[in-house]
Amino acid sequence: MELRSYGKTKMNVSVLGFGGAEIGFQNASVSDVDRLLGSALDAGLNLIDTAECYADSEELIGKTVAHRRGDYYLFTKCGHASGLDFESWDPKLLQLSIDRSLQRLKTDYVDVIHLHSCSEEILRQGDVIEVLKKAKEEGKTRYIGYSGDHQAALYAVQSGQFDSLETSLNIADQEAADLTIPKAIEQGMGVVIKRPIANAAWKHQTKPDDSYVQPYWDRLQRLDYDFLSGDMQDAVSTALRYTLSVPGVHSAIVGTARPERWVQNAKLLEAGYLPEAQYNAIKARWAEVAQEDWIGLQ
């Protein structure tokens, strides 16, 4: 598994990271998560990303791989109330949420805490950033970051306050490639990508009911990439390799609740970087078709 230097941090992260949303929202069992994460770590993955609001994802990670804490970098997020009796983004909530995450994850520290897609307005107030800085000073996290997209992400990057950016980037969501990622690299930030294969939205023959997937499905109907009409695994491989070929990207988070899927995901990268001609063709098609309102999606 290729490793990339994560900005100015001292971390060298695997290009493929594990996203913890699915194991929480799909009610994965402890035994399945144990096999899933164990096999991923054994194969060279060293980045696990989760969040306070991914159901019991943090707890499952803590129960299964806390004993291997030295084998992986651990990212989580804070900001949403998620069962705590405070309004989202209340500084007191963030403090409690960070402590709860450490308890759930069975660790004394995480490697990065990201603010979880809060607005530019909240960022400008500064209170939430100060909470993360304090957590860093107290050793609860090594680095702090912002997870989000569009103008809020741009403000976070340009503020110079963060070590890490987690943002959306894929064949159907390319705004960040020009808007934020180049500036993040100028700031020395690590960049981790969420939704790197556009939720494989093209696999649906008709518009899916899931509102989370619908915008990408709509965009892909217009983009009409030729490689999406062939073999599904080849299409996923091309989509993922495109994302990891964007300059400045260090890791892409792929989630699954199925233990056997990790090996399949890892094999998608065996072909290496996307050929320059194909990479440029995807970029050119986006430039030709993308609408003004095709902004980065949360």
Side-chain angles (χ1 to χ4, degrees):
M1 179 68 65
E2 179 190 352
L3 300 179
R4 296 181 180 177
S5 180
Y6 198 69
K8 290 182 179 178
T9 74
K10 297 180 180 180
M11 298 185 290
N12 291 310
V13 300
S14 54
V15 293
L16 197 62
F18 177 80
E22 280 83 352
I23 61 172
F25 293 138
Q26 295 182 20
N27 299 312
S29 68
V30 172
S31 60
D32 279 351
V33 174
D34 186 45
R35 287 191 294 130
L36 171 62
L37 290 180
S39 64
L41 294 175
D42 290 343
L45 177 144
N46 72 357
L47 195 164
I48 297 175
D49 176 84
T50 185
E52 83 286 44
C53 60
Y54 294 167
D56 60 349
S57 173
E58 290 181 324
E59 293 171 312
L60 286 167
I61 292 166
K63 289 177 180 178
T64 55
V65 291
H67 67 289
R68 296 185 62 173
R69 184 66 183 87
D71 293 342
Y72 58 91
Y73 298 116
L74 183 56
F75 294 7
T76 194
K77 309 179 191 73
C78 64
H80 301 131
S82 303
L84 295 173
D85 194 19
F86 289 88
E87 293 293 324
S88 294
W89 307 115
D90 185 316
K92 293 181 180 178
L93 165 76
L94 267 63
Q95 295 172 19
L96 291 172
S97 180
I98 291 168
D99 289 341
R100 182 180 64 179
S101 291
L102 295 178
Q103 292 172 358
R104 288 172 167 178
L105 292 162
K106 298 186 185 299
T107 185
D108 295 329
Y109 72 98
V110 293
D111 294 285
V112 182
I113 292 175
H114 289 99
L115 286 174
H116 202 174
S117 303
C118 68
S119 68
E120 180 179 345
E121 178 184 4
I122 291 173
L123 284 173
R124 286 183 178 276
Q125 293 171 7
D127 292 350
V128 294
I129 300 176
E130 290 303 314
V131 173
L132 264 63
K133 286 183 175 179
K134 182 180 179 182
K136 185 175 180 179
E137 291 170 358
E138 294 174 343
K140 295 177 181 179
T141 184
R142 295 174 65 200
Y143 304 103
I144 65 174
Y146 177 79
S147 174
D149 300 272
H150 197 46
Q151 293 299 316
L154 179 60
Y155 174 81
V157 169
Q158 293 180 323
S159 74
Q161 302 293 306
F162 297 101
D163 306 301
S164 174
L165 171 68
E166 182 167 335
T167 197
S168 298
L169 176 68
N170 54 63
I171 58 172
D173 195 346
Q174 298 186 36
E175 182 188 52
D178 297 315
L179 181 68
T180 54
I181 293 176
K183 295 179 178 61
I185 297 309
E186 290 175 4
Q187 295 277 4
M189 298 172 68
V191 176
V192 60
I193 300 302
K194 56 185 178 176
R195 305 177 79 171
I197 58 170
N199 303 111
W202 66 89
K203 70 182 179 182
H204 301 280
Q205 296 298 312
T206 59
K207 190 169 185 174
D209 294 332
D210 186 350
S211 60
Y212 188 69
V213 179
Q214 287 175 358
Y216 285 163
W217 189 88
D218 288 337
R219 293 181 185 184
L220 290 171
Q221 301 307 298
R222 299 282 298 276
L223 288 162
D224 194 27
Y225 295 117
D226 57 1
F227 64 87
L228 296 183
S229 61
D231 178 78
M232 183 64 182
Q233 284 299 98
D234 288 344
V236 172
S237 176
T238 298
L240 182 58
R241 289 163 61 212
Y242 163 77
T243 298
L244 285 169
S245 296
V246 173
V249 169
H250 300 124
S251 185
I253 297 298
V254 178
T256 180
R258 296 168 55 186
E260 70 278 6
R261 182 62 59 83
W262 158 248
V263 175
Q264 297 171 10
N265 289 339
K267 286 183 178 180
L268 297 178
L269 301 180
E270 288 182 349
Y273 286 91
L274 205 62
E276 185 176 0
Q278 190 172 22
Y279 174 83
N280 289 336
I282 292 172
K283 293 278 291 183
R285 183 60 178 165
W286 173 268
E288 177 185 0
V289 174
Q291 306 296 298
E292 288 187 6
D293 62 349
W294 286 14
I295 63 174
L297 298 181
Q298 303 288 356

